[in-house]
Amino acid sequence: MSKKRIQKRIKARRPRLKNWLFDRNLLMYLVIPSFLFVLALSMLGRQETQPKIVAKHPIESLLGKIESGDLPIEPLQVIYSDYHGFHGGIEISVNGEYELSRKSLGVKLAPQSESVTPQSMKHLLQLLLKHQVWLQISSEQPAKVDETRARLTIIYDEQRVELWEWFNEMERNNRLLEIKNFMIGMTSQH
């Protein structure tokens, strides 16, 4: 057999590629059913539901009422702390009597016990509402080496909420960091 004849036989045995896009059998038995299956699956998760009315957290309601003047501010206490016995840190406490106290270890801030202005307390309330301090956003996980938590505690009478962030995430989150920096500067504002 000649070489040309062998090549012809090989070509004849190869299946010819059809244009699969316009192949009627492929469209009818594979593409259309697959499309309908995917469409049906996507619609299973889309059930029309009424939006749920979520009740406000008690601290959110209290902070809003204090800010608007509907509740007295005196029982309020806000405490920020990133204090750690080994690493040091700072603890700042402000109460509804317009008194601020702070202590630090390893941080160059003198211990203080001073009064603050009503305007700075109102601004602190606005910051607490802005950052939704009743919501915990940092996830629970084992601490990394040399990692500590910064905590913010808000107390009003019997109501109490505490949230925390990993100290290493504070700059990225900019929640507790903004509140901490404002609380540090509260005494120098009057």
Side-chain angles (χ1 to χ4, degrees):
M1 265 195 190
S2 72
K3 195 174 181 179
K4 280 188 176 186
R5 205 170 201 183
I6 293 173
Q7 286 177 348
K8 266 187 175 181
R9 274 192 173 174
I10 291 174
K11 281 185 182 180
R13 288 184 183 167
R14 269 194 231 157
R16 294 192 181 172
L17 294 176
K18 295 181 179 178
N19 190 346
W20 63 271
L21 186 59
F22 296 109
D23 186 6
R24 187 178 303 172
N25 291 333
L26 184 67
L27 278 174
M28 224 164 68
Y29 297 111
L30 184 63
V31 175
I32 293 175
S34 298
F35 173 75
L36 293 175
F37 179 73
V38 170
L39 183 64
L41 281 179
S42 68
M43 293 182 77
L44 284 176
R46 293 187 187 190
Q47 298 174 354
E48 295 297 323
T49 58
Q50 295 294 327
K52 293 180 183 176
I53 298 173
V54 179
K56 285 186 171 185
H57 191 281
I59 292 292
E60 178 185 9
S61 300
L62 288 171
L63 291 175
K65 289 177 181 178
I66 295 168
E67 186 199 13
S68 65
D70 295 340
L71 280 177
I73 196 169
E74 287 76 23
L76 178 68
Q77 186 174 9
V78 180
I79 305 162
Y80 168 85
S81 177
D82 57 31
Y83 209 75
H84 187 276
F86 183 71
H87 299 292
I90 186 169
E91 182 175 292
I92 309 166
S93 175
V94 181
N95 64 31
E97 302 287 332
Y98 303 103
E99 298 169 340
L100 179 135
S101 64
R102 69 179 180 200
K103 65 179 181 175
S104 61
L105 177 67
V107 179
K108 294 181 180 180
L109 287 174
Q112 285 185 321
S113 187
E114 294 187 29
S115 63
V116 295
T117 64
Q119 293 83 11
S120 61
M121 280 298 286
K122 186 166 178 105
H123 190 268
L124 178 61
L125 285 169
Q126 291 168 348
L127 276 176
L128 296 175
L129 287 166
K130 170 186 166 188
H131 290 295
Q132 299 178 337
V133 294
W134 51 92
L135 299 176
Q136 174 66 45
I137 61 168
S138 292
S139 60
E140 188 70 42
Q141 62 190 13
K144 297 175 186 166
V145 176
D146 290 338
E147 188 172 44
T148 60
R149 292 181 181 188
R151 292 176 175 11
L152 184 70
T153 307
I154 300 163
I155 304 167
Y156 190 88
D157 280 338
E158 300 297 316
Q159 296 289 331
R160 176 189 179 103
V161 69
E162 180 175 286
L163 72 135
W164 58 269
E165 287 183 0
W166 293 111
F167 191 80
N168 299 343
E169 295 176 358
M170 284 178 59
E171 194 171 317
R172 182 182 66 219
N173 294 342
N174 199 30
R175 285 178 79 199
L176 293 187
L177 184 62
E178 186 176 358
I179 294 167
K180 170 192 172 183
N181 289 338
F182 180 77
M183 290 176 76
I184 288 173
M186 282 178 83
T187 57
S188 61
Q189 292 178 2
H190 62 276

